[in-house]
Amino acid sequence: MLVFLGFLLLIGCSSQDLGVNDLKESYPDSFATGVESLSEEQQSKLGLPNDVPFTVSNVAAETEGNETMVEYQSDGSDRLVVTTIYEPGNILQDLENQLNLNSGSVAGAEDRGDSYYIEWYNGDEDTIYQVEYFSDSEERPQQTLSIANSI
């Protein structure tokens, strides 16, 4: 029983705070300045995953026009880039694979060699989300799908 409680404590301590306010506080120069021009509504639609498959060491954001890119970096070679496009029109890419997300959305996906890429349109929020995960892991496609499902 004691080992089980210790395991639960370890899991609780290792969780990462990846919400918009937590990221603003943790990364005021690299993240907060990149999203400060967004309205409250846009910030609420920002594609921030609840979980990533690596320990995040830095988060940076950049907003240009109707597009915001958030980049998560590890101390190693893992890197995640999530792009949110607000009021996009019809600009989805024609990708080789289609996946069903837990939200009911159909996403396009493709293996890009050193990364795996997933893109989908969220009609309720009128946004396109693009997730690109760079990793050496053989589990990269499944991990990218898990990231997309956590947005």
mmCIF file of all heavy atoms in Angstrom, residues 71-116:
data_model
loop_
_atom_site.group_PDB
_atom_site.id
_atom_site.type_symbol
_atom_site.label_atom_id
_atom_site.label_comp_id
_atom_site.label_asym_id
_atom_site.label_seq_id
_atom_site.Cartn_x
_atom_site.Cartn_y
_atom_site.Cartn_z
ATOM 1 N N GLU A 71 5.584 26.454 -29.425
ATOM 2 C CA GLU A 71 6.604 25.412 -29.523
ATOM 3 C C GLU A 71 7.029 24.971 -28.128
ATOM 4 O O GLU A 71 7.399 25.781 -27.286
ATOM 5 C CB GLU A 71 7.828 25.926 -30.281
ATOM 6 C CG GLU A 71 8.879 24.878 -30.485
ATOM 7 C CD GLU A 71 10.024 25.351 -31.371
ATOM 8 O OE1 GLU A 71 9.897 26.411 -32.018
ATOM 9 O OE2 GLU A 71 11.034 24.644 -31.418
ATOM 10 N N TYR A 72 6.943 23.655 -27.903
ATOM 11 C CA TYR A 72 7.354 23.020 -26.651
ATOM 12 C C TYR A 72 8.662 22.301 -26.918
ATOM 13 O O TYR A 72 8.772 21.553 -27.886
ATOM 14 C CB TYR A 72 6.316 21.980 -26.206
ATOM 15 C CG TYR A 72 4.926 22.522 -25.995
ATOM 16 C CD1 TYR A 72 4.076 22.757 -27.076
ATOM 17 C CD2 TYR A 72 4.454 22.782 -24.725
ATOM 18 C CE1 TYR A 72 2.793 23.230 -26.884
ATOM 19 C CE2 TYR A 72 3.169 23.262 -24.524
ATOM 20 C CZ TYR A 72 2.350 23.489 -25.605
ATOM 21 O OH TYR A 72 1.081 23.958 -25.418
ATOM 22 N N GLN A 73 9.650 22.490 -26.031
ATOM 23 C CA GLN A 73 10.944 21.840 -26.199
ATOM 24 C C GLN A 73 11.294 21.040 -24.958
ATOM 25 O O GLN A 73 10.931 21.425 -23.837
ATOM 26 C CB GLN A 73 12.031 22.869 -26.459
ATOM 27 C CG GLN A 73 11.855 23.609 -27.760
ATOM 28 C CD GLN A 73 12.954 24.633 -27.994
ATOM 29 O OE1 GLN A 73 13.664 25.037 -27.081
ATOM 30 N NE2 GLN A 73 13.083 25.063 -29.232
ATOM 31 N N SER A 74 11.991 19.942 -25.181
ATOM 32 C CA SER A 74 12.516 19.143 -24.078
ATOM 33 C C SER A 74 13.999 19.449 -23.934
ATOM 34 O O SER A 74 14.572 20.168 -24.751
ATOM 35 C CB SER A 74 12.320 17.653 -24.375
ATOM 36 O OG SER A 74 13.203 17.237 -25.403
ATOM 37 N N ASP A 75 14.613 18.869 -22.923
ATOM 38 C CA ASP A 75 16.067 18.999 -22.791
ATOM 39 C C ASP A 75 16.768 18.121 -23.823
ATOM 40 O O ASP A 75 17.923 18.345 -24.134
ATOM 41 C CB ASP A 75 16.518 18.597 -21.378
ATOM 42 C CG ASP A 75 16.216 19.682 -20.360
ATOM 43 O OD1 ASP A 75 16.148 20.865 -20.743
ATOM 44 O OD2 ASP A 75 16.033 19.337 -19.172
ATOM 45 N N GLY A 76 16.058 17.133 -24.353
ATOM 46 C CA GLY A 76 16.615 16.239 -25.371
ATOM 47 C C GLY A 76 16.210 16.687 -26.760
ATOM 48 O O GLY A 76 16.122 17.878 -27.059
ATOM 49 N N SER A 77 15.911 15.708 -27.621
ATOM 50 C CA SER A 77 15.609 16.020 -29.018
ATOM 51 C C SER A 77 14.114 16.152 -29.310
ATOM 52 O O SER A 77 13.734 16.495 -30.424
ATOM 53 C CB SER A 77 16.212 14.944 -29.924
ATOM 54 O OG SER A 77 15.639 13.684 -29.627
ATOM 55 N N ASP A 78 13.251 15.864 -28.330
ATOM 56 C CA ASP A 78 11.804 15.970 -28.556
ATOM 57 C C ASP A 78 11.376 17.426 -28.647
ATOM 58 O O ASP A 78 11.839 18.280 -27.880
ATOM 59 C CB ASP A 78 11.015 15.300 -27.438
ATOM 60 C CG ASP A 78 11.081 13.792 -27.501
ATOM 61 O OD1 ASP A 78 11.519 13.258 -28.529
ATOM 62 O OD2 ASP A 78 10.698 13.145 -26.512
ATOM 63 N N ARG A 79 10.476 17.666 -29.611
ATOM 64 C CA ARG A 79 9.959 19.022 -29.816
ATOM 65 C C ARG A 79 8.544 18.892 -30.364
ATOM 66 O O ARG A 79 8.253 18.014 -31.173
ATOM 67 C CB ARG A 79 10.856 19.759 -30.801
ATOM 68 C CG ARG A 79 10.505 21.206 -31.025
ATOM 69 C CD ARG A 79 11.620 21.934 -31.781
ATOM 70 N NE ARG A 79 11.872 21.391 -33.091
ATOM 71 C CZ ARG A 79 11.387 21.905 -34.222
ATOM 72 N NH1 ARG A 79 10.638 22.973 -34.194
ATOM 73 N NH2 ARG A 79 11.675 21.351 -35.391
ATOM 74 N N LEU A 80 7.677 19.782 -29.939
ATOM 75 C CA LEU A 80 6.288 19.800 -30.373
ATOM 76 C C LEU A 80 5.936 21.208 -30.816
ATOM 77 O O LEU A 80 6.233 22.176 -30.111
ATOM 78 C CB LEU A 80 5.370 19.373 -29.220
ATOM 79 C CG LEU A 80 3.870 19.549 -29.410
ATOM 80 C CD1 LEU A 80 3.353 18.652 -30.520
ATOM 81 C CD2 LEU A 80 3.141 19.271 -28.103
ATOM 82 N N VAL A 81 5.301 21.319 -31.992
ATOM 83 C CA VAL A 81 4.839 22.610 -32.487
ATOM 84 C C VAL A 81 3.336 22.494 -32.715
ATOM 85 O O VAL A 81 2.883 21.615 -33.453
ATOM 86 C CB VAL A 81 5.546 23.008 -33.799
ATOM 87 C CG1 VAL A 81 5.006 24.335 -34.321
ATOM 88 C CG2 VAL A 81 7.053 23.082 -33.588
ATOM 89 N N VAL A 82 2.574 23.376 -32.058
ATOM 90 C CA VAL A 82 1.121 23.418 -32.223
ATOM 91 C C VAL A 82 0.767 24.777 -32.796
ATOM 92 O O VAL A 82 1.079 25.810 -32.202
ATOM 93 C CB VAL A 82 0.378 23.192 -30.889
ATOM 94 C CG1 VAL A 82 -1.126 23.249 -31.098
ATOM 95 C CG2 VAL A 82 0.786 21.870 -30.254
ATOM 96 N N THR A 83 0.106 24.768 -33.950
ATOM 97 C CA THR A 83 -0.302 26.006 -34.601
ATOM 98 C C THR A 83 -1.822 26.100 -34.567
ATOM 99 O O THR A 83 -2.510 25.122 -34.873
ATOM 100 C CB THR A 83 0.194 26.050 -36.055
ATOM 101 O OG1 THR A 83 1.619 25.892 -36.050
ATOM 102 C CG2 THR A 83 -0.173 27.360 -36.734
ATOM 103 N N THR A 84 -2.323 27.270 -34.182
ATOM 104 C CA THR A 84 -3.752 27.546 -34.188
ATOM 105 C C THR A 84 -3.995 28.639 -35.217
ATOM 106 O O THR A 84 -3.353 29.687 -35.177
ATOM 107 C CB THR A 84 -4.237 28.039 -32.809
ATOM 108 O OG1 THR A 84 -3.891 27.068 -31.821
ATOM 109 C CG2 THR A 84 -5.736 28.273 -32.797
ATOM 110 N N ILE A 85 -4.930 28.384 -36.144
ATOM 111 C CA ILE A 85 -5.287 29.371 -37.161
ATOM 112 C C ILE A 85 -6.740 29.763 -36.915
ATOM 113 O O ILE A 85 -7.633 28.917 -36.998
ATOM 114 C CB ILE A 85 -5.101 28.812 -38.585
ATOM 115 C CG1 ILE A 85 -3.661 28.317 -38.774
ATOM 116 C CG2 ILE A 85 -5.461 29.872 -39.621
ATOM 117 C CD1 ILE A 85 -3.432 27.558 -40.057
ATOM 118 N N TYR A 86 -6.957 31.035 -36.589
ATOM 119 C CA TYR A 86 -8.281 31.551 -36.271
ATOM 120 C C TYR A 86 -8.997 31.998 -37.543
ATOM 121 O O TYR A 86 -8.399 32.641 -38.401
ATOM 122 C CB TYR A 86 -8.171 32.744 -35.312
ATOM 123 C CG TYR A 86 -7.423 32.416 -34.044
ATOM 124 C CD1 TYR A 86 -6.083 32.745 -33.903
ATOM 125 C CD2 TYR A 86 -8.043 31.763 -32.994
ATOM 126 C CE1 TYR A 86 -5.382 32.445 -32.742
ATOM 127 C CE2 TYR A 86 -7.362 31.451 -31.833
ATOM 128 C CZ TYR A 86 -6.038 31.799 -31.715
ATOM 129 O OH TYR A 86 -5.346 31.490 -30.568
ATOM 130 N N GLU A 87 -10.300 31.654 -37.644
ATOM 131 C CA GLU A 87 -11.135 32.032 -38.787
ATOM 132 C C GLU A 87 -10.374 31.775 -40.093
ATOM 133 O O GLU A 87 -10.114 32.688 -40.871
ATOM 134 C CB GLU A 87 -11.571 33.489 -38.671
ATOM 135 C CG GLU A 87 -12.365 33.764 -37.404
ATOM 136 C CD GLU A 87 -12.679 35.233 -37.198
ATOM 137 O OE1 GLU A 87 -12.464 36.060 -38.104
ATOM 138 O OE2 GLU A 87 -13.165 35.553 -36.100
ATOM 139 N N PRO A 88 -10.053 30.504 -40.357
ATOM 140 C CA PRO A 88 -9.112 30.168 -41.423
ATOM 141 C C PRO A 88 -9.655 30.139 -42.850
ATOM 142 O O PRO A 88 -8.870 30.206 -43.787
ATOM 143 C CB PRO A 88 -8.666 28.767 -41.036
ATOM 144 C CG PRO A 88 -9.851 28.187 -40.344
ATOM 145 C CD PRO A 88 -10.460 29.344 -39.595
ATOM 146 N N GLY A 89 -10.952 29.994 -43.030
ATOM 147 C CA GLY A 89 -11.422 29.733 -44.387
ATOM 148 C C GLY A 89 -11.105 28.284 -44.733
ATOM 149 O O GLY A 89 -10.879 27.458 -43.856
ATOM 150 N N ASN A 90 -11.039 27.952 -45.994
ATOM 151 C CA ASN A 90 -10.817 26.569 -46.410
ATOM 152 C C ASN A 90 -9.371 26.387 -46.862
ATOM 153 O O ASN A 90 -9.074 26.422 -48.052
ATOM 154 C CB ASN A 90 -11.783 26.209 -47.543
ATOM 155 C CG ASN A 90 -11.729 24.742 -47.898
ATOM 156 O OD1 ASN A 90 -11.138 23.943 -47.179
ATOM 157 N ND2 ASN A 90 -12.331 24.396 -49.015
ATOM 158 N N ILE A 91 -8.472 26.175 -45.907
ATOM 159 C CA ILE A 91 -7.051 26.054 -46.249
ATOM 160 C C ILE A 91 -6.436 24.749 -45.750
ATOM 161 O O ILE A 91 -5.225 24.635 -45.642
ATOM 162 C CB ILE A 91 -6.234 27.248 -45.705
ATOM 163 C CG1 ILE A 91 -6.308 27.306 -44.179
ATOM 164 C CG2 ILE A 91 -6.678 28.543 -46.339
ATOM 165 C CD1 ILE A 91 -5.309 28.256 -43.559
ATOM 166 N N LEU A 92 -7.258 23.742 -45.472
ATOM 167 C CA LEU A 92 -6.711 22.464 -45.013
ATOM 168 C C LEU A 92 -5.860 21.834 -46.107
ATOM 169 O O LEU A 92 -6.198 21.905 -47.289
ATOM 170 C CB LEU A 92 -7.823 21.498 -44.617
ATOM 171 C CG LEU A 92 -8.548 21.801 -43.307
ATOM 172 C CD1 LEU A 92 -9.728 20.853 -43.132
ATOM 173 C CD2 LEU A 92 -7.614 21.696 -42.122
ATOM 174 N N GLN A 93 -4.768 21.209 -45.692
ATOM 175 C CA GLN A 93 -3.885 20.526 -46.633
ATOM 176 C C GLN A 93 -4.496 19.181 -47.027
ATOM 177 O O GLN A 93 -5.282 18.602 -46.284
ATOM 178 C CB GLN A 93 -2.522 20.291 -45.990
ATOM 179 C CG GLN A 93 -1.803 21.561 -45.610
ATOM 180 C CD GLN A 93 -0.487 21.264 -44.928
ATOM 181 O OE1 GLN A 93 0.238 20.374 -45.320
ATOM 182 N NE2 GLN A 93 -0.191 22.021 -43.885
ATOM 183 N N ASP A 94 -4.152 18.677 -48.183
ATOM 184 C CA ASP A 94 -4.575 17.354 -48.619
ATOM 185 C C ASP A 94 -3.512 16.368 -48.145
ATOM 186 O O ASP A 94 -2.458 16.230 -48.778
ATOM 187 C CB ASP A 94 -4.720 17.332 -50.149
ATOM 188 C CG ASP A 94 -5.321 16.037 -50.645
ATOM 189 O OD1 ASP A 94 -5.986 15.335 -49.845
ATOM 190 O OD2 ASP A 94 -5.121 15.720 -51.832
ATOM 191 N N LEU A 95 -3.788 15.691 -47.020
ATOM 192 C CA LEU A 95 -2.805 14.805 -46.405
ATOM 193 C C LEU A 95 -3.142 13.345 -46.708
ATOM 194 O O LEU A 95 -4.300 12.989 -46.925
ATOM 195 C CB LEU A 95 -2.737 15.053 -44.898
ATOM 196 C CG LEU A 95 -2.351 16.486 -44.511
ATOM 197 C CD1 LEU A 95 -2.486 16.699 -43.017
ATOM 198 C CD2 LEU A 95 -0.930 16.792 -44.969
ATOM 199 N N GLU A 96 -2.112 12.499 -46.683
ATOM 200 C CA GLU A 96 -2.244 11.115 -47.123
ATOM 201 C C GLU A 96 -3.131 10.235 -46.252
ATOM 202 O O GLU A 96 -3.765 9.312 -46.740
ATOM 203 C CB GLU A 96 -0.858 10.476 -47.270
ATOM 204 C CG GLU A 96 -0.059 10.465 -45.966
ATOM 205 C CD GLU A 96 1.385 10.055 -46.146
ATOM 206 O OE1 GLU A 96 2.054 10.629 -47.023
ATOM 207 O OE2 GLU A 96 1.834 9.174 -45.396
ATOM 208 N N ASN A 97 -3.204 10.473 -44.955
ATOM 209 C CA ASN A 97 -3.987 9.631 -44.040
ATOM 210 C C ASN A 97 -5.099 10.439 -43.381
ATOM 211 O O ASN A 97 -4.954 11.650 -43.187
ATOM 212 C CB ASN A 97 -3.091 9.058 -42.935
ATOM 213 C CG ASN A 97 -1.993 8.189 -43.484
ATOM 214 O OD1 ASN A 97 -2.226 7.339 -44.322
ATOM 215 N ND2 ASN A 97 -0.769 8.422 -43.014
ATOM 216 N N GLN A 98 -6.166 9.760 -42.996
ATOM 217 C CA GLN A 98 -7.236 10.397 -42.227
ATOM 218 C C GLN A 98 -7.414 9.629 -40.928
ATOM 219 O O GLN A 98 -7.405 8.395 -40.923
ATOM 220 C CB GLN A 98 -8.540 10.432 -43.014
ATOM 221 C CG GLN A 98 -8.495 11.405 -44.161
ATOM 222 C CD GLN A 98 -9.885 11.682 -44.728
ATOM 223 O OE1 GLN A 98 -10.820 10.933 -44.516
ATOM 224 N NE2 GLN A 98 -9.998 12.776 -45.430
ATOM 225 N N LEU A 99 -7.560 10.387 -39.839
ATOM 226 C CA LEU A 99 -7.751 9.816 -38.510
ATOM 227 C C LEU A 99 -8.988 10.423 -37.880
ATOM 228 O O LEU A 99 -9.299 11.592 -38.111
ATOM 229 C CB LEU A 99 -6.545 10.136 -37.611
ATOM 230 C CG LEU A 99 -5.160 9.747 -38.098
ATOM 231 C CD1 LEU A 99 -4.098 10.349 -37.194
ATOM 232 C CD2 LEU A 99 -5.040 8.234 -38.124
ATOM 233 N N ASN A 100 -9.680 9.641 -37.062
ATOM 234 C CA ASN A 100 -10.805 10.160 -36.293
ATOM 235 C C ASN A 100 -10.312 10.546 -34.911
ATOM 236 O O ASN A 100 -9.691 9.732 -34.219
ATOM 237 C CB ASN A 100 -11.912 9.107 -36.176
ATOM 238 C CG ASN A 100 -12.554 8.830 -37.513
ATOM 239 O OD1 ASN A 100 -12.856 9.745 -38.261
ATOM 240 N ND2 ASN A 100 -12.749 7.563 -37.825
ATOM 241 N N LEU A 101 -10.583 11.788 -34.523
ATOM 242 C CA LEU A 101 -10.209 12.259 -33.196
ATOM 243 C C LEU A 101 -11.338 11.968 -32.213
ATOM 244 O O LEU A 101 -12.496 11.788 -32.613
ATOM 245 C CB LEU A 101 -9.910 13.758 -33.221
ATOM 246 C CG LEU A 101 -8.776 14.201 -34.145
ATOM 247 C CD1 LEU A 101 -8.621 15.721 -34.087
ATOM 248 C CD2 LEU A 101 -7.470 13.528 -33.774
ATOM 249 N N ASN A 102 -11.008 11.969 -30.922
ATOM 250 C CA ASN A 102 -12.017 11.737 -29.895
ATOM 251 C C ASN A 102 -13.133 12.775 -29.931
ATOM 252 O O ASN A 102 -14.250 12.495 -29.515
ATOM 253 C CB ASN A 102 -11.377 11.726 -28.502
ATOM 254 C CG ASN A 102 -10.473 10.531 -28.299
ATOM 255 O OD1 ASN A 102 -10.522 9.559 -29.045
ATOM 256 N ND2 ASN A 102 -9.629 10.603 -27.282
ATOM 257 N N SER A 103 -12.856 13.965 -30.430
ATOM 258 C CA SER A 103 -13.850 15.034 -30.506
ATOM 259 C C SER A 103 -14.874 14.796 -31.612
ATOM 260 O O SER A 103 -15.870 15.502 -31.698
ATOM 261 C CB SER A 103 -13.159 16.377 -30.766
ATOM 262 O OG SER A 103 -12.558 16.363 -32.059
ATOM 263 N N GLY A 104 -14.606 13.815 -32.469
ATOM 264 C CA GLY A 104 -15.472 13.561 -33.609
ATOM 265 C C GLY A 104 -14.951 14.179 -34.890
ATOM 266 O O GLY A 104 -15.461 13.902 -35.969
ATOM 267 N N SER A 105 -13.939 15.014 -34.797
ATOM 268 C CA SER A 105 -13.338 15.630 -35.984
ATOM 269 C C SER A 105 -12.535 14.599 -36.764
ATOM 270 O O SER A 105 -11.979 13.653 -36.197
ATOM 271 C CB SER A 105 -12.397 16.772 -35.583
ATOM 272 O OG SER A 105 -13.102 17.814 -34.978
ATOM 273 N N VAL A 106 -12.473 14.788 -38.075
ATOM 274 C CA VAL A 106 -11.616 13.973 -38.924
ATOM 275 C C VAL A 106 -10.368 14.798 -39.219
ATOM 276 O O VAL A 106 -10.460 15.952 -39.636
ATOM 277 C CB VAL A 106 -12.331 13.589 -40.237
ATOM 278 C CG1 VAL A 106 -11.380 12.818 -41.148
ATOM 279 C CG2 VAL A 106 -13.580 12.773 -39.945
ATOM 280 N N ALA A 107 -9.220 14.199 -38.965
ATOM 281 C CA ALA A 107 -7.948 14.902 -39.132
ATOM 282 C C ALA A 107 -7.142 14.277 -40.253
ATOM 283 O O ALA A 107 -7.206 13.069 -40.483
ATOM 284 C CB ALA A 107 -7.148 14.843 -37.830
ATOM 285 N N GLY A 108 -6.394 15.110 -40.938
ATOM 286 C CA GLY A 108 -5.412 14.634 -41.903
ATOM 287 C C GLY A 108 -4.108 14.412 -41.169
ATOM 288 O O GLY A 108 -3.787 15.127 -40.216
ATOM 289 N N ALA A 109 -3.342 13.409 -41.601
ATOM 290 C CA ALA A 109 -2.086 13.093 -40.919
ATOM 291 C C ALA A 109 -1.063 12.584 -41.921
ATOM 292 O O ALA A 109 -1.424 12.015 -42.948
ATOM 293 C CB ALA A 109 -2.320 12.040 -39.846
ATOM 294 N N GLU A 110 0.205 12.815 -41.594
ATOM 295 C CA GLU A 110 1.266 12.240 -42.415
ATOM 296 C C GLU A 110 2.569 12.160 -41.631
ATOM 297 O O GLU A 110 2.842 12.969 -40.754
ATOM 298 C CB GLU A 110 1.465 13.022 -43.715
ATOM 299 C CG GLU A 110 2.062 14.383 -43.586
ATOM 300 C CD GLU A 110 2.204 15.103 -44.943
ATOM 301 O OE1 GLU A 110 1.747 14.591 -45.971
ATOM 302 O OE2 GLU A 110 2.771 16.190 -44.930
ATOM 303 N N ASP A 111 3.349 11.151 -41.992
ATOM 304 C CA ASP A 111 4.692 10.990 -41.447
ATOM 305 C C ASP A 111 5.615 11.834 -42.307
ATOM 306 O O ASP A 111 5.627 11.707 -43.527
ATOM 307 C CB ASP A 111 5.105 9.524 -41.497
ATOM 308 C CG ASP A 111 6.374 9.250 -40.722
ATOM 309 O OD1 ASP A 111 7.190 10.190 -40.548
ATOM 310 O OD2 ASP A 111 6.556 8.105 -40.292
ATOM 311 N N ARG A 112 6.365 12.723 -41.675
ATOM 312 C CA ARG A 112 7.257 13.619 -42.407
ATOM 313 C C ARG A 112 8.727 13.278 -42.177
ATOM 314 O O ARG A 112 9.593 14.148 -42.250
ATOM 315 C CB ARG A 112 6.972 15.066 -42.006
ATOM 316 C CG ARG A 112 5.580 15.511 -42.446
ATOM 317 C CD ARG A 112 5.356 16.961 -42.176
ATOM 318 N NE ARG A 112 4.155 17.425 -42.858
ATOM 319 C CZ ARG A 112 3.678 18.645 -42.751
ATOM 320 N NH1 ARG A 112 4.294 19.547 -41.993
ATOM 321 N NH2 ARG A 112 2.576 18.982 -43.396
ATOM 322 N N GLY A 113 8.998 12.032 -41.893
ATOM 323 C CA GLY A 113 10.386 11.607 -41.700
ATOM 324 C C GLY A 113 10.850 11.789 -40.278
ATOM 325 O O GLY A 113 10.867 10.844 -39.507
ATOM 326 N N ASP A 114 11.204 13.006 -39.905
ATOM 327 C CA ASP A 114 11.670 13.266 -38.538
ATOM 328 C C ASP A 114 10.544 13.759 -37.634
ATOM 329 O O ASP A 114 10.768 14.054 -36.469
ATOM 330 C CB ASP A 114 12.826 14.265 -38.532
ATOM 331 C CG ASP A 114 12.431 15.645 -39.050
ATOM 332 O OD1 ASP A 114 11.389 15.760 -39.735
ATOM 333 O OD2 ASP A 114 13.172 16.607 -38.774
ATOM 334 N N SER A 115 9.315 13.854 -38.171
ATOM 335 C CA SER A 115 8.171 14.305 -37.370
ATOM 336 C C SER A 115 6.904 13.622 -37.867
ATOM 337 O O SER A 115 6.870 13.026 -38.943
ATOM 338 C CB SER A 115 8.009 15.822 -37.471
ATOM 339 O OG SER A 115 7.586 16.198 -38.777
ATOM 340 N N TYR A 116 5.857 13.734 -37.055
ATOM 341 C CA TYR A 116 4.527 13.285 -37.451
ATOM 342 C C TYR A 116 3.603 14.481 -37.326
ATOM 343 O O TYR A 116 3.673 15.231 -36.361
ATOM 344 C CB TYR A 116 4.053 12.117 -36.574
ATOM 345 C CG TYR A 116 2.924 11.348 -37.218
ATOM 346 C CD1 TYR A 116 3.188 10.387 -38.189
ATOM 347 C CD2 TYR A 116 1.600 11.584 -36.876
ATOM 348 C CE1 TYR A 116 2.163 9.685 -38.797
ATOM 349 C CE2 TYR A 116 0.571 10.898 -37.484
ATOM 350 C CZ TYR A 116 0.856 9.943 -38.442
ATOM 351 O OH TYR A 116 -0.158 9.262 -39.055
#
